[in-house]
Amino acid sequence: MDIGASSSSSHRTHATESFYSQPMKSRSFNQDETFEIEAPDSLLPQLTPTRLAWYIRIDRTLASSFPGFHTRAERIVNYLRGPRPKIDLEDPTPFLNINLNKGPLKISLPLESTLIRATRPLTSPFLLCILVVGYIIAFAFFSRAQSFLIPADSFIDCTSTYWLANGQCGLNGTACGPFDLTSFDFRCPAQCSDVVLQNPRTVGDEQVDFVPLLVGGGDGNKTYRGDSFICAAAVQAGYISDSKGGCASVQLLGNFTDFVATTANGLTSIGFPSIFPVSFNFAPTTTLSYCSDLRNEALAFNVIITCLLFLVFRPKSIVLFWFLVCIGFWHITLFSQPQATPPPLDVAFGIFLPALFVCYAFWRLAFRFVMPAFEKAPIEAMVWYIGPFWVGVLTNLTTGKIPIDRLLPSDIGQQRGGIAALIVIVIVLFLVVVNQLRVIRKTGWLPWYAGWYILGGLVAMVLALLPSLQFRLHHYIFAIALIPGTAFPTRLSAIYQGFLLGTFLNGVAAFGFASILQTAADLQRDAPLGTDLPSFLTNSTTFNGSIPLPNQTIFWQSLPSGESWDGFALLIDDVERYAGTALNYSLNGLMTGVPHFFRLAFTSQGTPGDFTMAATLWPNGTWSDPLPGPS
């Protein structure tokens, strides 16, 4: 291949040139040369034509041996490489500066220019400082009213319960006492109806998943089983508002039989026809005050402030960027998705400083090439940035209904519509990436970006192959990976930047800098462990329903040989009633006239493995065998 000279100066749209101390330059050779090498200045003296001879030899060999292939490949390479020298994209022309000239018809409607002239007196740094001080004071009062005016021990979260799953409450539930004669004033956050089970939970012979756990509530006193989510139960029973949260008083009632299913206030509970040792309902009054969740008011306040910053006060782009970072982070931390209630400020500040460092990299790599391009179009800048930014900040709401919680095959397969949602997301992401690659190619920087992304992909692949670890693409990592590719002044780049910045802030503020590699235990949650399952010897053919219930005994198979299991745990009606090495259990003492549900697990040093699905003994003496698999 003939080698010719061309040179390119440094470009504003190339994110990395000014991130490092040395600019990128090209090296010239003979007049008929077309090959170009880019490298830091410190390396340029070493790149002589002699050292490049092997490239030339390969190119000439391909050209002489496969001329047709060489020509087509050269065209493809030149197209993907883009223009030489590299070019800058023009700043977008404001849409809203309308000038229409058609014959005698002349319309001039410079909305952006008019806004800039009208608000120029308000762009004083002094007025901006006053706004900052006023905002901090107002936001502090919002936060105080939200979380710090009632006792901290009155807060509960959306998944708080009185009873834990399977055998976690111990034999006969003693670890979860007291069972009755106790009341407790509590405060719930807003939006608890959207907090759902992420793994199947067995209640009697029924499994529920991806809904709030609610058992009962359909009787006249609105009585719930003790493992129901207290806040969701209070919403369904009408004692607090889902959109505003609120305070109520819960009363423990002890043993209760036949929990009735109901639907109210947008929530549906399931029934449980047997007896359970813990139940609760709600008192009509509570002693707590300052109970309303102010996240909606805080959101409106912060959205208005960010709009005013874009439209009226219009600070320099870098100042505007840091306003977005700080407002978004602290809104998530204190209002929309705190890590605990009340918000742990020590944890928040421990995350905030590293987040600022990452955001500074965002500015250097991408934002400083796009935000200034809209300085003459503040209305457009507000539209392109503010909307997507708050969509990203509120990821827990805006994407909460998408049936994908984690990018794990088990999660996607369990949720209805999960596969379809994943396909749609992949298609949208593919179209976005292809369009952005088209934009980058027009500037001539595609090979440079492609090289770095390919290197990052190879690193990710190596990490994903590490033994005993699973690769997790958290949404804050997703934002970090994509933001550098938005460093080009287009309207779509502005939209992508707003959304990805909000998504990054949501990820780190709500969950911290979670590791990109996690163990199976980290991802387990309360899902089945995948352990061995015991088997009942009692079944639908061997059970004699004519024998009275007090005289009945159920049996199961002995421990498997060569395993570490040393005993059994038996759940009756979702309560652990036996733990030991026996191979049978007498049903003497069980209530007659109601169904009973039996689940069995192996134990090792007192810790149970997975429990079987429920075998059911119906009041008429009929025995139903358990379904296969763990519960």
Side-chain angles (χ1 to χ4, degrees), residues 271-335:
F272 181 71
S274 192
I275 189 171
F276 200 78
V278 180
S279 62
F280 65 83
N281 62 13
F282 299 99
T285 60
T286 178
T287 60
L288 297 176
S289 56
Y290 300 101
C291 295
S292 293
D293 192 309
L294 301 178
R295 67 182 63 192
N296 292 333
E297 290 81 354
L299 175 62
F301 175 68
N302 281 327
V303 170
I304 291 172
I305 291 297
T306 50
C307 289
L308 290 176
L309 287 168
F310 273 86
L311 292 176
V312 179
F313 295 95
R314 299 197 313 279
K316 292 182 178 180
S317 296
I318 188 171
V319 177
L320 194 57
F321 170 78
W322 287 117
F323 272 122
L324 288 180
V325 170
C326 295
I327 290 174
F329 181 91
W330 288 107
H331 179 83
I332 297 163
T333 298
L334 297 174
F335 291 95

Side-chain angles (χ1 to χ4, degrees), residues 37-331:
I37 295 294
E38 293 182 359
D41 289 341
S42 59
L43 298 180
L44 289 176
Q46 306 173 32
L47 300 177
T48 65
T50 301
R51 295 187 176 224
L52 296 175
W54 67 277
Y55 287 102
I56 303 171
R57 290 197 300 270
I58 293 175
D59 182 70
R60 289 177 177 174
T61 300
L62 289 174
S64 61
S65 303
F66 308 98
F69 171 78
H70 178 271
T71 300
R72 288 190 294 270
E74 188 175 37
R75 289 174 182 172
I76 294 173
V77 169
N78 288 337
Y79 174 80
L80 294 177
R81 185 185 64 176
R84 288 295 184 270
K86 301 178 183 71
I87 63 173
D88 289 331
L89 297 179
E90 295 292 334
D91 289 347
T93 302
F95 273 151
L96 299 180
N97 282 345
I98 302 172
N99 289 291
L100 182 62
N101 295 308
K102 285 191 175 181
L105 181 62
K106 295 184 179 180
I107 299 177
S108 179
L109 193 63
L111 296 180
E112 301 280 15
S113 302
T114 301
L115 176 67
I116 290 174
R117 287 195 302 271
T119 58
R120 186 169 290 118
L122 300 176
T123 60
S124 164
F126 176 73
L127 292 178
L128 183 63
C129 291
I130 293 177
L131 173 70
V132 171
V133 172
Y135 171 80
I136 292 174
I137 294 173
F139 194 71
F141 274 102
F142 260 120
S143 180
R144 178 174 178 268
Q146 169 78 353
S147 304
F148 301 102
L149 290 179
I150 66 174
D153 58 3
S154 65
F155 284 95
I156 62 175
D157 62 36
C158 294
T159 59
S160 294
T161 67
Y162 273 106
W163 191 273
L164 304 177
N166 295 332
Q168 297 180 54
C169 284
L171 192 62
N172 297 317
T174 54
C176 293
F179 295 163
D180 56 9
L181 304 178
T182 300
S183 63
F184 172 63
D185 292 328
F186 64 91
R187 176 180 168 180
C188 288
Q191 299 163 0
C192 280
S193 294
D194 296 325
V195 179
V196 300
L197 292 166
Q198 294 297 335
N199 287 300
R201 183 73 62 87
T202 300
V203 178
D205 62 347
E206 188 174 353
Q207 281 200 321
V208 291
D209 200 1
F210 304 117
V211 293
L213 180 59
L214 291 171
V215 184
D219 63 295
N221 293 322
K222 300 180 179 180
T223 307
Y224 292 88
R225 208 173 84 158
D227 54 353
S228 299
F229 291 172
I230 297 173
C231 289
V235 171
Q236 187 187 52
Y239 287 91
I240 66 174
S241 163
D242 185 53
S243 62
K244 301 287 290 182
C247 299
S249 181
V250 64
Q251 302 176 122
L252 290 180
L253 304 176
N255 282 328
F256 192 83
T257 304
D258 194 13
F259 297 86
V260 181
T262 187
T263 298
N265 296 314
L267 293 171
T268 298
S269 65
I270 62 172
F272 181 71
S274 192
I275 189 171
F276 200 78
V278 180
S279 62
F280 65 83
N281 62 13
F282 299 99
T285 60
T286 178
T287 60
L288 297 176
S289 56
Y290 300 101
C291 295
S292 293
D293 192 309
L294 301 178
R295 67 182 63 192
N296 292 333
E297 290 81 354
L299 175 62
F301 175 68
N302 281 327
V303 170
I304 291 172
I305 291 297
T306 50
C307 289
L308 290 176
L309 287 168
F310 273 86
L311 292 176
V312 179
F313 295 95
R314 299 197 313 279
K316 292 182 178 180
S317 296
I318 188 171
V319 177
L320 194 57
F321 170 78
W322 287 117
F323 272 122
L324 288 180
V325 170
C326 295
I327 290 174
F329 181 91
W330 288 107
H331 179 83

Side-chain angles (χ1 to χ4, degrees), residues 166 529-533 565 569 600-604 606-612:
N166 295 332
L529 302 171
T531 62
D532 298 327
L533 293 174
W565 305 114
L600 190 65
F602 292 123
T603 60
S604 177
T607 301
D610 290 333
F611 284 88
T612 64

Side-chain angles (χ1 to χ4, degrees), residues 519-587:
T519 65
D522 295 330
L523 303 174
Q524 184 68 36
R525 293 178 175 172
D526 58 351
L529 302 171
T531 62
D532 298 327
L533 293 174
S535 299
F536 286 101
L537 291 176
T538 300
N539 56 46
S540 57
T541 57
T542 61
F543 187 82
N544 186 354
S546 63
I547 300 175
L549 182 65
N551 299 329
Q552 292 279 11
T553 300
I554 59 173
F555 300 87
W556 51 85
Q557 290 182 345
S558 60
L559 292 169
S561 60
E563 300 288 344
S564 60
W565 305 114
D566 55 20
F568 300 90
L570 177 66
L571 299 179
I572 301 179
D573 301 329
D574 301 333
V575 180
E576 187 176 30
R577 296 299 188 185
Y578 174 76
T581 59
L583 301 179
N584 57 76
Y585 183 82
S586 172
L587 304 187

